[in-house]
């Protein structure tokens, strides 16, 4: 263990209120930390760097439990590294969130009876900036409330000047390297947001639809196709069958009549068609389906767009002007009237893509868009993990990462929005296409016939640059040199595809093969206490600020950290937050007690020869805990390290060491001074170990205990190597005695504070020096002249004889125990009957049999315990 680096002063409980009130201290402490620059990182420092970039929350967002969860873990990592002597940088910022932010401002305009088109592009973008300055970034203040130790001096925004330069630079570089291109492809189109969205922003859900089978062609040239989107048949340009399907060989190459139109379309043979599915024939609509588009490309089919950007039919008189869903019903009715409907299935449940932003049903649409050629970039992102440059934790999450990067499609990066990074490409009057870099002038003016591309870039394009653009790239800044590559990316496994893969591709490409982080550690999602997804509609969504207001930020943080097993979802309920609040209170009260009883950090630790076995035991356990917590931090095992700290602090320090030391403190003298110094050391180290997860209560207590400036900048504890296995065995024996007698007392119905005469026979055992502590903790008074042992407990070589006469109703206690014994014997008989039934054992699953064996073992334990209690009772 390290000595803390502050100058200790005498501590006094006068500085600590009798009760801990988080609301009165958290805000003040946080502002003091920021004012003193504890979270500011220095690029010129000689200390080794440790860097984490925050997943930038949307400018429209507010703190939810998912944010609070991940921020708690990131804060714990950076606070610990800062205490270990690293130049820790946790860099904050926000994402401009193109679609989400534009939707918010458009809704505000709608209240005024206006649209963005009424303002025009320039004025609308200015309006969004005004909204951002006035209302955006609410989450940043909430991050302060949580205690995020971020370097506010380096706060970034994905559309600030520096990041905009980075976006333009990498676009130009990718374009020049022929990794960005423009092409007409099928994209996911949102008729509400009026923009393309990428595959990873599509939310699929099962919808009730209809499956309609209909006849194309006439007479012998009739063929039946089925569809869930009848409205798209107006854009059909072929029917496809499998080349080996004998049923349709006579039709391949022929043209058949397309119902409701004056067109004929060909029947083509394509191996994409599954002859076993449905009728083995599919309608082909190249402009409105990605698979059909591929068939159309192979067979040189025409692509007919039959819907506009809002999903309104644009062709064929009777249906022109109808919304796509209105047209669906009208077209089915018209086909029915012509006798073309063969079958209708309603409801037909099938998976349908929806816009992740507004939940509108998406429409596949042929559109000219900008794309990133991801092949070489994705390969580099996969290689960096495969060759060990980047580790994924937990390791079994690597498969999910590889499934994505190894099968990635080209990325559609253009969005038909006004808010975002404008695509830096200009089109000339003679068909020229010029990509403009950040230091280059546009090739001409609008008056000269030059126009900039109207689209903006996908918001993930700019956030994909986050690990290096925030450090000043493309300039070779001191920050970039010091803090890139970042050490850890901690994020949810749900955005591997959205963000993690993008950053890997861009970081490796822009930074000469150096990956943007050394370790990717993936968390699960926060769930309710029953493991179900939280949602507003079901009433299970929780605002973490409500819990922080009620129980304090430390309680919320500790609850989240204690549930953070790598890669798995985190259940959380209010009862658990209350329990964490109780833990904070326990730390507070125990520290106050310690200070009242002479706990101090002044001077060196006494020599072990001057210490009691209890002192040596707790110091040995302390060092083992330091080593355990360090190992768990390095393995990102937040739940296990939180649990280890909880049990060490509550069970071993507060419930055992403090209680066992009370007799020493009451006796006073040199032993009390020694134990006071040991207790001060234990509290000092324990508070420092707890600090990264529960920063507020530990700051208040540690500064009071030590007189140090702040635990934020104190040294992280190290394992001194001190071990005393003999003392640990001695105290474990003592604990066993106390636990056994307490259990016996409870079984006899004695109240915890009820005093009982007792004779202790401890001579010749390691327990002899602990008689005063045993009597104190077990409420055992000395034996009197009329002492009569009615129960004798042999434990660990010692004997504890109790006189229970007059303290319990022996007859009632015998009756209660007899009833419990009968129940245990019945449970044993039932378990034995099942385990003796060969037919049951042959059919029952292993886990069921194991459960019954466990019940049998428990029944045997209960029977032995109850019989021993009955033997110890005096005769009624």
């Amino acid at each position: 263990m390290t000595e803390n680096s502050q100058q200790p002063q005498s501590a006094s409980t006068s500085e600590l209120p009798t009760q801990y009130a988080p609301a009165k201290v958290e805000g003040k402490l946080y502002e003091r930390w920021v004012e003193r620059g504890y979270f500011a990182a220095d690029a010129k420092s000689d200390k080794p760097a440790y860097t984490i970039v925050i997943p930038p929350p949307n400018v429209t967002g507010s703190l939810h439990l998912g944010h609070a969860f991940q921020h708690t873990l990131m804060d714990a990592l950076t606070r610990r590294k800062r205490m270990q002597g690293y130049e820790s940088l946790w860099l904050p910022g926000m994402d401009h969130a193109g679609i989400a932010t534009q939707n918010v401002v458009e809704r505000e305009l709608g209240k005024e009876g206006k649209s963005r088109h009424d303002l025009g592009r320039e004025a609308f973008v200015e309006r969004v900036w005004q909204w951002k300055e006035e209302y955006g970034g609410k989450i940043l203040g909430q991050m302060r409330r949580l205690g995020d130790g971020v370097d506010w001096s380096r706060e970034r925004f994905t559309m600030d000047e520096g990041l905009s330069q980075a976006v333009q630079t990498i676009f130009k570089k990718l374009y020049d390297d022929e990794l960005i291109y423009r092409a007409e492809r099928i994209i996911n189109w949102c008729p509400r947001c009026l923009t393309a969205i990428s595959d990873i922003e599509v939310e699929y859900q099962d919808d009730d639809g209809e499956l309609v089978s209909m006849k194309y062609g006439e007479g012998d040239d009739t063929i039946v196709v089925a569809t869930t989107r009848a409205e798209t048949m107006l854009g059909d340009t072929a029917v496809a069958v499998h080349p080996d399907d004998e049923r349709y060989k006579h039709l391949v190459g022929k043209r058949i009549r397309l119902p409701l139109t004056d067109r004929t379309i060909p029947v083509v043979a394509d191996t994409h068609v599954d002859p076993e599915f449905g009728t083995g024939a599919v309608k082909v609509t190249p402009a409105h389906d990605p698979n059909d588009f591929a068939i159309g490309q192979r067979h040189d089919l025409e692509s007919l767009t039959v819907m506009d950007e809002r999903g309104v039919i644009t062709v064929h008189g009777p249906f022109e002007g109808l919304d796509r869903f209105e047209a669906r019903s009208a077209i089915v009715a018209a086909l029915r009237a012509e006798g073309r409907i063969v079958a209708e299935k309603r409801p037909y449940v099938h998976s349908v893509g929806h816009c992740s932003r507004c939940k509108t049903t998406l429409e596949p649409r042929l559109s000219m868009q900008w794309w990133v050629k991801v092949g070489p970039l994705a390969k580099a992102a996969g290689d960096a993990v495969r060759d060990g440059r980047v580790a994924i934790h937990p390791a079994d999450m690597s498969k999910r990462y590889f499934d994505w990067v190894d099968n990635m499609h080209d990325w559609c990066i253009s969005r038909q929005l006004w808010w975002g990074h404008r695509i830096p490409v200009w089109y000339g009057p003679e068909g020229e296409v010029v990509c403009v870099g950040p230091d280059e002038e546009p090739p001409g003016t609008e008056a000269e016939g030059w126009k900039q591309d109207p689209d903006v870039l996908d918001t993930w394009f700019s956030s994909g640059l986050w690990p290096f653009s925030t450090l000043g790239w493309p300039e070779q800044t001191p920050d970039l040199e010091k803090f890139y590559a970042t050490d850890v990316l901690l994020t949810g496994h749900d955005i591997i595809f959205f963000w993690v893969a993008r950053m890997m591709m861009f970081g490796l490409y822009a930074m000469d093969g150096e990956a943007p982080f050394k370790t990717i550690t993936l968390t699960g999602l926060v769930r309710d206490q029953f493991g179900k997804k939280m949602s507003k509609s079901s009433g299970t969504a929780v605002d973490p600020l409500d819990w922080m207001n009620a129980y304090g930020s430390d309680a919320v943080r500790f609850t989240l950290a204690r549930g953070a097993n790598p890669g798995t979802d985190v259940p959380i309920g209010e009862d658990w937050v209350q329990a964490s609040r109780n833990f904070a209170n326990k730390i507070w009260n125990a520290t106050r007690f310690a200070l009242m009883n002479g706990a101090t950090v002044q001077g060196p630790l006494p020599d072990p020869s001057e210490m009691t076995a209890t002192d040596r035991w707790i110091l040995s356990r302390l060092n083992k805990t330091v080593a355990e917590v360090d190992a768990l931090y390095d393995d990102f095992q937040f739940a296990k390290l939180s649990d280890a700290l909880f049990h060490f602090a509550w069970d071993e320090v507060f419930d055992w060491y403090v209680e066992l030391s009370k007799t020493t403190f009451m006796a006073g003298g040199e032993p009390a001074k020694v134990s006071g110094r040991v207790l001060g050391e234990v509290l000092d180290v324990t508070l420092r170990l707890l600090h990264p997860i529960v920063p507020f209560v530990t700051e208040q207590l540690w500064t009071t205990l030590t007189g140090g400036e702040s635990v934020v900048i104190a040294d992280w504890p190290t394992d001194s190597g001190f071990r005393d296995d003999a003392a640990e065995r001695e105290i474990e024996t003592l604990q066993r005695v106390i636990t056994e007698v307490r259990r016996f007392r409870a079984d006899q119905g004695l109240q915890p504070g009820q005093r009982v005469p007792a004779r202790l026979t401890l001579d010749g055992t390691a327990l002899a020096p602990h008689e005063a502590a045993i009597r104190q903790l077990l409420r055992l008074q000395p034996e009197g002249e009329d002492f009569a042992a009615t129960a004798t407990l042999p434990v660990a070589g010692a004997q504890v004889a109790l006189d229970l006469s007059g303290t319990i109703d022996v007859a009632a206690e015998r009756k209660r125990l007899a009833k419990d014994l009968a129940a245990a014997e019945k449970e044993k008989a039932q378990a034995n009957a099942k385990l003796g039934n060969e037919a049951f054992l042959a059919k029952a699953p292993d886990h069921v049999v194991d459960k019954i064996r466990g019940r049998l073992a428990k029944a045997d334990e209960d029977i032995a315990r109850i019989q021993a209690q009955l033997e110890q009772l005096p005769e009624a």
Side-chain angles (χ1 to χ4, degrees):
M1 296 165 294
T2 59
E3 295 289 328
N4 76 71
S5 60
Q6 315 301 317
Q7 292 299 315
Q9 302 167 7
S10 59
S12 168
T13 54
S14 63
E15 300 175 47
L16 292 177
T18 54
Q19 290 186 323
Y20 178 49
K24 292 183 179 179
V25 302
E26 290 180 349
K28 289 187 236 178
L29 289 179
Y30 188 84
E31 291 311 314
R32 187 169 73 194
W33 293 334
V34 173
E35 288 167 8
R36 293 182 178 180
Y38 294 156
F39 306 139
D42 182 2
K44 298 177 182 177
S45 167
D46 293 331
K47 297 178 183 178
Y50 184 82
T51 315
I52 290 183
V53 289
I54 203 167
N58 286 354
V59 66
T60 58
S62 59
L63 191 75
H64 57 63
L65 273 174
H67 289 130
F69 170 54
Q70 292 179 1
H71 287 208
T72 293
L73 305 187
M74 286 184 277
D75 196 30
L77 289 174
T78 48
R79 283 178 183 268
R80 171 177 175 254
K81 285 295 182 180
R82 189 177 292 113
M83 295 172 76
Q84 286 182 317
Y86 286 78
E87 197 64 37
S88 274
L89 172 59
W90 186 21
L91 194 149
M94 292 182 298
D95 191 284
H96 66 278
I99 295 176
T101 308
Q102 180 156 319
N103 282 346
V104 167
V105 178
E106 286 197 83
R107 282 198 296 270
E108 292 299 310
L109 283 175
K111 295 174 184 177
E112 302 170 18
K114 296 177 183 177
S115 74
R116 61 182 162 119
H117 300 284
D118 294 322
L119 271 67
R121 182 170 193 139
E122 192 173 320
F124 175 77
V125 170
E126 178 59 32
R127 180 72 174 260
V128 180
W129 277 108
Q130 290 172 4
W131 179 91
K132 185 258 181 186
E133 294 305 317
E134 187 170 355
Y135 301 107
K138 178 172 69 171
I139 192 171
L140 298 179
Q142 296 167 339
M143 286 164 53
R144 300 170 88 94
R145 180 70 193 281
L146 186 66
D148 283 8
V150 296
D151 184 348
W152 291 109
S153 69
R154 284 179 167 83
E155 181 189 334
R156 303 307 297 267
F157 180 54
T158 50
M159 282 186 62
D160 67 29
E161 185 177 349
L163 269 64
S164 296
Q165 182 185 26
V167 168
Q168 198 170 351
T169 299
I170 203 162
F171 187 101
K172 170 74 169 170
K173 181 173 169 59
L174 288 162
Y175 182 86
D176 289 347
D177 288 345
E178 298 183 349
L179 292 172
I180 281 183
Y181 63 94
R182 193 169 183 244
E184 194 173 43
R185 300 272 184 83
I186 292 284
I187 47 87
N188 305 295
W189 181 265
C190 178
R192 158 64 183 78
C193 297
L194 300 180
T195 183
I197 66 171
S198 65
D199 292 343
I200 56 176
E201 293 172 297
V202 180
E203 288 183 353
Y204 288 94
Q205 65 183 49
D206 288 339
D207 285 358
D208 287 344
E210 59 183 353
L211 181 67
V212 179
S213 299
M214 49 198 179
K215 290 189 295 185
Y216 285 11
E218 308 290 350
D220 292 339
D221 293 345
T222 298
I223 194 165
V224 176
V225 298
T227 183
T228 57
R229 299 164 66 220
E231 67 279 8
T232 64
M233 62 87 59
L234 299 175
D236 287 357
T237 56
V239 171
V241 297
H242 195 276
D244 299 331
D245 196 330
E246 294 293 335
R247 293 172 294 176
Y248 302 118
K249 280 202 170 180
H250 69 290
L251 288 176
V252 174
K254 286 189 176 183
R255 297 185 73 85
I256 60 175
R257 180 173 171 255
L258 180 66
L260 306 183
T261 73
D262 57 3
R263 293 191 291 118
T264 61
I265 57 176
V267 177
V268 299
D270 196 282
T271 55
H272 171 76
V273 179
D274 180 0
E276 302 299 322
F277 184 76
T279 64
V282 297
K283 59 190 286 298
V284 182
T285 322
H288 292 278
D289 183 273
N291 293 323
D292 294 3
F293 178 77
I295 294 174
Q297 293 279 294
R298 288 194 288 272
H299 297 277
D300 198 24
L301 300 175
E302 185 181 6
S303 294
L304 296 179
T305 300
V306 298
M307 271 180 260
D308 68 10
E309 60 184 9
R310 297 182 183 275
V312 174
I313 302 298
T314 58
V315 299
H316 200 67
F319 311 109
E320 189 172 356
L322 294 179
D323 171 80
R324 53 187 168 153
F325 300 120
E326 296 172 335
R328 182 176 298 175
S329 300
I331 287 170
V332 171
L335 289 167
R336 193 183 298 115
E338 284 193 6
R340 295 276 180 179
I341 299 297
V342 175
E344 297 177 72
K345 185 175 181 180
R346 295 189 186 89
Y348 178 73
V349 178
H350 61 132
S351 182
V352 178
H354 294 259
C355 175
S356 61
R357 301 295 181 187
C358 68
K359 313 308 177 188
T360 299
T361 300
L362 296 171
E363 195 64 43
R365 175 181 172 84
L366 185 62
S367 180
M368 184 68 76
Q369 300 285 344
W370 285 95
W371 305 80
V372 172
K373 183 180 179 181
V374 299
L377 302 174
K379 182 181 183 304
D383 290 346
V385 174
R386 287 189 170 96
D387 64 25
R389 280 175 286 160
V390 177
I392 291 180
H393 186 87
D396 58 10
M397 284 285 178
S398 298
K399 182 180 183 302
R400 187 178 295 197
Y401 175 81
F402 291 132
D403 284 346
W404 182 250
V405 297
D406 293 347
N407 300 286
M408 195 181 295
H409 301 297
D410 282 2
W411 172 19
C412 176
I413 56 171
S414 44
R415 298 291 180 266
Q416 290 64 54
L417 303 170
W418 287 356
W419 173 245
H421 294 281
R422 188 91 171 259
I423 289 177
V425 172
W426 291 73
Y427 306 109
E430 304 299 326
E432 303 95 330
V433 179
V434 178
C435 181
V436 178
D439 300 320
E440 299 171 353
E441 292 294 325
T445 65
E446 287 198 17
E448 295 169 333
W450 288 87
K451 289 187 178 179
Q452 186 176 1
D453 193 299
D455 291 350
V456 300
L457 288 163
D458 178 9
T459 191
W460 295 104
F461 190 94
S462 52
S463 60
L465 314 182
W466 190 253
F468 52 95
S469 64
T470 52
L471 297 174
W473 187 90
E475 302 299 324
Q476 292 303 307
T477 64
D479 275 1
L480 192 64
E481 183 178 350
K482 177 76 174 178
F483 297 113
Y484 188 92
T486 69
D487 288 85
V488 176
L489 172 70
L490 188 148
T491 191
H493 62 63
D494 56 323
I495 61 168
I496 290 177
F497 325 120
F498 290 92
W499 193 46
V500 178
R502 310 290 193 224
M503 289 189 291
M504 284 288 283
M505 291 192 302
F506 282 163
L508 289 160
Y509 174 74
M511 299 300 293
D512 299 321
E514 187 176 9
F517 12 76
K518 298 160 191 169
T519 300
I520 301 167
T521 183
L522 298 167
T523 69
L525 308 178
V526 179
R527 304 284 186 177
D528 70 15
Q529 59 188 319
F530 306 108
K532 295 180 180 178
K533 183 177 180 179
M534 290 186 173
S535 69
K536 292 180 181 178
S537 58
S538 63
T540 57
V542 173
D543 184 343
L545 292 170
D546 291 341
W547 281 352
M548 283 189 257
N549 289 336
Y551 308 112
S553 298
D554 284 334
V556 174
R557 290 171 61 115
F558 192 72
T559 305
L560 290 165
R562 206 172 177 194
N565 289 298
T568 60
D569 290 346
V570 182
I572 185 172
E574 189 166 4
D575 289 351
W576 304 341
V577 184
Q578 290 175 353
S580 295
R581 185 269 317 272
N582 295 344
F583 179 50
N585 288 341
K586 182 80 169 181
I587 301 169
W588 184 271
N589 293 333
T591 305
R592 289 190 80 255
F593 169 85
L595 292 172
M596 289 167 57
N597 284 276
T600 180
V601 297
Q602 292 187 25
L605 275 173
D607 189 84
S609 62
E610 301 174 37
M611 298 179 187
T612 64
T614 309
D615 294 333
R616 298 193 304 276
W617 162 74
I618 197 63
L619 288 176
S620 185
R621 289 294 308 129
L622 177 66
N623 277 283
K624 287 182 178 179
T625 301
V626 170
E628 181 184 8
V629 168
D630 268 334
L632 292 170
Y633 257 119
D634 291 340
D635 198 34
F636 304 102
Q637 297 280 357
F638 296 99
K640 289 182 179 179
L641 73 88
S642 299
D643 219 41
L645 286 169
F646 174 86
H647 287 296
F648 175 72
W650 190 304
D651 299 344
E652 297 187 279
V653 179
F654 305 147
D655 277 359
W656 282 109
Y657 180 71
V658 168
E659 292 298 319
L660 288 170
S661 299
K662 281 182 178 178
T663 52
T664 303
F665 289 133
M666 286 190 290
E670 194 59 30
K673 291 180 181 178
V674 170
S675 291
R677 179 63 188 92
V678 170
L679 180 53
E681 178 77 6
V682 170
L683 284 175
D684 169 23
V685 173
T686 301
L687 291 171
R688 284 187 277 151
L689 288 173
L690 283 165
H691 172 73
I693 296 174
V694 284
F696 294 108
V697 68
T698 52
E699 171 79 346
Q700 191 78 2
L701 294 175
W702 187 86
T703 52
T704 302
L705 171 71
T706 68
E709 181 184 335
S710 173
V711 69
V712 177
I713 54 172
D715 291 337
W716 180 252
T718 55
D719 176 8
S720 72
F722 177 80
R723 301 288 189 275
D724 192 326
D725 293 337
E728 289 197 44
R729 288 192 297 272
E730 182 174 328
I731 302 305
E732 284 168 9
T733 302
L734 175 60
Q735 289 171 324
R736 192 159 77 250
V737 169
I738 291 170
T739 301
E740 286 293 323
V741 176
R742 279 177 173 167
R743 183 182 294 123
F744 179 78
R745 285 177 56 109
D747 288 341
Q748 305 307 315
L750 296 174
Q751 295 300 314
Q754 189 172 352
R755 293 198 166 272
V756 177
R759 177 188 300 137
L760 304 184
T761 307
L762 307 176
D763 292 345
T765 73
L767 299 173
H770 302 286
E771 178 169 353
I774 292 172
R775 288 190 178 277
Q776 171 70 21
L777 292 176
L778 291 173
R779 303 294 188 268
L780 303 179
Q781 63 191 42
E783 55 190 290
E785 291 183 6
D786 55 350
F787 177 83
T790 58
T792 302
L793 303 177
V795 188
Q799 282 193 341
V800 179
L802 304 175
D803 182 356
L804 301 179
S805 57
T807 59
I808 58 173
D809 184 334
V810 176
E813 188 62 17
R814 280 190 172 278
K815 185 176 179 181
R816 181 185 72 80
L817 289 172
K819 182 178 178 182
D820 290 348
L821 182 61
E825 288 173 336
K826 181 180 179 181
E827 176 74 3
K828 178 178 180 177
Q830 290 174 340
N832 273 326
K834 286 190 175 181
L835 293 173
N837 185 334
E838 294 296 333
F840 170 78
L841 293 176
K843 295 179 181 178
D846 289 345
H847 73 274
V848 172
V849 176
D850 289 342
K851 185 175 181 180
I852 292 170
R853 288 191 178 120
R855 284 168 49 191
L856 176 62
K858 175 70 166 54
D860 281 334
E861 289 177 9
D862 288 345
I863 290 169
R865 176 178 55 81
I866 296 168
Q867 287 175 338
Q869 290 173 228
L870 284 167
E871 290 172 5
Q872 294 292 337
L873 282 175
E875 293 299 323

